[in-house]
DNA sequence: GTTACATGCTAACTTTTCTTTGCAGGGGCA
DNA sequence: TGCCCCTGCAAAGAAAAGTTAGCATGTAAC
């Protein structure tokens, strides 16, 4: 189970139509950047940004490979993941959130600025 | 199961520490706005914005109630939800995504602007 | 050499989201 | 009446995210 911060990152990463489509496409088959961009109908630059974010969240992985004709190609594939979203799971994740401002309360006093 | 757009909305809504805490707090007990704001250590105005977003995503519900001393209080509570996040689920959700750009047109009406 | 296809990066702009600040009304109670 | 607690909303500024455009590199083929 992911920590609170990791959960936020994963959710933020998946909360985007482009990245959702990337995950869906890579779930069907691994692919390299240029081809994936053509299939999705978006620019390569844009796709690369989204791929970087997906990789940062641990949702996809990449490896460089050389094609038969010697071209360097970067193949991406999905990292298997399974996250159950329920109010209880959220409550559990919140406990591991690193938040500069709020801590546990029980005294009922007001919070300092 | 939510549509692709609904999934994006739910994920975007939950991808925020404040809202995650709100869900966690309401999962423990229903609460009214002012008290919840005090417990979370955030301003009422900020909390209201997040509550509105949570409600728009269908994650919480609200009902106005009158306290014993006649004050109007808005109680919020979590809507039970359960979303399984896997590459396959994402692939399924993508099929129902409405995309402004890839929309199929047949030349019936003209588009404004 | 030129064309085609692969990679990468970043600066700059646009858009969206987040947060604060300020104002509004209503009720209870000393 | 003045004070405290409850609600609500919107403008405006600050911060983050999304997107485009441009340039640079390398290999293969004509």
């Amino acid at each position: 189970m992911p920590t609170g911060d990791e959960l936020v990152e994963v959710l933020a990463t998946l909360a985007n139509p482009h990245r959702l489509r990337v995950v869906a496409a890579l779930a069907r088959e691994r692919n390299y950047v240029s081809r994936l961009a053509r299939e999705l109908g978006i620019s390569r630059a844009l796709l690369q940004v989204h791929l970087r974010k997906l990789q940062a969240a641990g949702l996809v992985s990449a490896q460089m490979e050389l094609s038969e004709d010697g071209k360097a190609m970067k193949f991406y594939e999905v990292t298997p993941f399974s996250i159950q979203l329920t109010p209880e799971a959220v409550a559990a994740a919140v406990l591991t959130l690193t938040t500069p401002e709020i801590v546990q309360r029980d005294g009922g006093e007001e919070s300092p600025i």
Side-chain angles (χ1 to χ4, degrees), chain A:
Chain A
M1 65 171 66
T3 70
D5 297 305
E6 289 169 347
L7 180 62
V8 169
E9 185 182 15
V10 168
L11 294 180
T13 302
L14 289 180
N16 178 289
H18 281 328
R19 289 193 289 268
L20 232 43
R21 281 199 202 86
V22 170
V23 170
L26 293 181
R28 193 168 53 251
E29 60 167 350
R30 66 199 294 272
N31 209 343
Y32 62 94
V33 184
S34 289
R35 189 157 88 98
L36 184 54
R38 283 193 296 269
E39 292 183 3
L40 294 178
I42 64 179
S43 74
R44 218 185 64 249
L46 179 57
L47 176 59
Q48 280 179 327
V49 172
H50 288 310
L51 282 173
R52 266 195 290 269
K53 196 151 192 169
L54 284 165
Q55 190 170 21
L59 297 172
V60 306
S61 62
Q63 49 269 347
M64 277 294 250
E65 296 182 11
L66 287 180
S67 65
E68 300 178 353
D69 55 339
K71 288 177 185 167
M73 305 168 85
K74 193 167 188 176
F75 275 84
Y76 280 88
E77 56 189 82
V78 287
T79 300
F81 59 89
S82 181
I83 296 178
Q84 183 76 19
L85 276 183
T86 64
E88 296 72 34
V90 169
V94 162
L95 298 178
T96 63
L97 269 181
T98 65
T99 309
E101 23 192 0
I102 294 102
V103 214
Q104 294 279 339
R105 67 174 277 111
D106 66 328
E109 275 308 304
E110 43 186 284
S111 55
I113 294 197

